[in-house]
Amino acid sequence: MVANKTLVTEFVLTGLTDLPRLQVPLFLVFLVIYLTTMVGNLGLIFLIWKDPHLHTPMYIFLGSLAFADACSSSSVTPQMLMNFLSMNHMISLFDCISQFYIFASSANTECFLLVVMAYDRYVAICNPLFYPVVMSNIFCTQLLGVSYIIGFLHPLMHVGLLFRLTFCKSNVIHYFYCEILQLFKISCTDPRVNMLLIFIFSVFIQSFTFMSIIISYCYVFFAIRKMKSEKGRSKAFYTCSAHLLSVSLFYGTLFFMYVHPGFGPAENQDKLYSLFYTIIIPLLNPFIYSLRNKEVIGALRRIMNK
């Protein structure tokens, strides 16, 4: 605890639990999860880069999503792993804000990448003859560029507004990473402006991107229903169902974290949502998209045979 008139420059992350007997087991569990996440996402990026058969817009976007997931997990998990085995849970103000920025940038980028992937499926299924023209290399590069630019610029506003806050009540963050709503709780400065902007931009970005995905898939499902080929229907449906599962997991937890009221007795519930959002989704995504994907499995076999 820091004296009331002393400005805080370091914080204490309490982590998932303060029970000593659980620290080592949790370290081992999350170490396995993190290594699996990195192998899954970086392995998928390597496959897409190495195999010419996967040099298509759909897999380029999937590789970008895997990169965003790897960044998201790496912004949170290594610090959490160190805290499991260390008695010193301190993190500097600069490192705390940096952790929030990297995570928020990755999450924002992922929102727009999911829209781009939905649009790609819309063009491929609803207008297959125009697909090579519409999804040209230049246009795909522009879509990726816009996704990353917006994704990395938007959190800068919230980072800038964090510097208007002062921290003097306490330096204890009852969380496993520097989540922005937790910083508001220990601020001596009134954070209502920050909270209002978080709410407005979260609602706008989530609503815009989610509705764009839903509209794209409404057209896609109507097109799938009109297909005469059973094989074509099942292939299109599988590709879309994997994406929709990823979207449901991502937006479901994102909504509960940043759109519903974040203060009150639901602190442990918020921690669970945040754990799922920061660590579990990046673990699941490469497997959701790859396990039953014949092209990815074929690429893996070709690489292993070489």
Side-chain angles (χ1 to χ4, degrees), residues 79-299:
Q79 179 72 44
M80 185 172 70
L81 290 173
M82 286 190 292
N83 287 347
F84 279 134
L85 299 183
S86 172
M87 298 299 292
N88 180 16
H89 293 182
M90 301 294 290
I91 184 170
S92 69
L93 177 61
F94 176 80
D95 288 344
C96 190
I97 291 176
S98 298
Q99 186 185 52
F100 161 72
Y101 176 71
I102 294 168
F103 171 72
S105 299
S106 304
N108 272 269
T109 301
E110 191 160 339
C111 281
F112 291 97
L113 286 175
L114 289 171
V115 175
V116 168
M117 292 171 74
Y119 178 72
D120 174 70
R121 290 302 84 204
Y122 160 74
V123 178
I125 294 170
C126 298
N127 298 289
L129 296 177
F130 294 100
Y131 184 78
V133 177
V134 175
M135 302 304 292
S136 64
N137 289 337
I138 294 174
F139 186 57
C140 289
T141 303
Q142 289 171 343
L143 288 174
L144 287 176
V146 169
S147 298
Y148 276 98
I149 289 168
I150 296 175
F152 278 78
L153 282 181
H154 167 231
L156 279 177
M157 176 185 67
H158 300 297
V159 167
L161 287 169
L162 274 176
F163 285 105
R164 66 177 283 274
L165 304 181
T166 53
F167 304 95
C168 57
K169 298 178 188 173
S170 168
N171 68 337
V172 179
I173 299 174
H174 296 281
Y175 231 62
F176 58 94
Y177 76 102
C178 287
E179 203 275 321
I180 193 167
L181 298 180
Q182 303 305 314
L183 289 172
F184 295 162
K185 289 183 180 181
I186 60 172
S187 170
C188 295
T189 313
D190 187 349
R192 279 182 290 187
V193 172
N194 301 61
M195 288 173 60
L196 180 64
L197 287 172
I198 284 277
F199 178 79
I200 290 171
F201 278 90
S202 295
V203 169
F204 175 74
I205 289 174
Q206 289 180 46
S207 299
F208 170 75
T209 53
F210 184 70
M211 288 307 299
S212 298
I213 292 168
I214 294 300
I215 290 168
S216 295
Y217 274 104
C218 284
Y219 283 104
V220 165
F221 284 128
F222 282 124
I224 290 174
R225 286 184 63 186
K226 293 177 182 177
M227 286 182 180
K228 295 178 181 179
S229 166
E230 183 66 32
K231 186 179 178 181
R233 271 204 305 269
S234 61
K235 182 180 178 182
F237 182 77
Y238 169 70
T239 305
C240 296
S241 63
H243 187 222
L244 283 174
L245 176 58
S246 177
V247 167
S248 301
L249 292 172
F250 182 80
Y251 279 92
T253 49
L254 194 67
F255 175 82
F256 282 110
M257 275 301 300
Y258 294 107
V259 176
H260 84 125
F263 294 86
E267 185 176 295
N268 289 332
Q269 194 176 17
D270 281 351
K271 199 179 287 189
L272 184 63
Y273 290 139
S274 196
L275 187 68
F276 194 81
Y277 176 65
T278 55
I279 294 172
I280 304 303
I281 289 178
L283 167 71
L284 295 177
N285 270 345
F287 300 102
I288 289 172
Y289 285 105
S290 303
L291 280 181
R292 290 179 59 196
N293 190 312
K294 292 179 181 177
E295 290 173 324
V296 172
I297 292 170

Side-chain angles (χ1 to χ4, degrees), residues 65-80:
L65 184 71
F67 177 73
D69 277 333
C71 291
S72 176
S73 184
S74 295
S75 68
V76 173
T77 314
Q79 179 72 44
M80 185 172 70

Side-chain angles (χ1 to χ4, degrees), residues 48-67:
I48 292 167
W49 170 66
K50 201 72 177 173
D51 195 296
H53 297 87
L54 301 182
H55 292 177
T56 63
M58 183 176 84
Y59 290 106
I60 290 169
F61 298 145
L62 183 55
S64 298
L65 184 71
F67 177 73

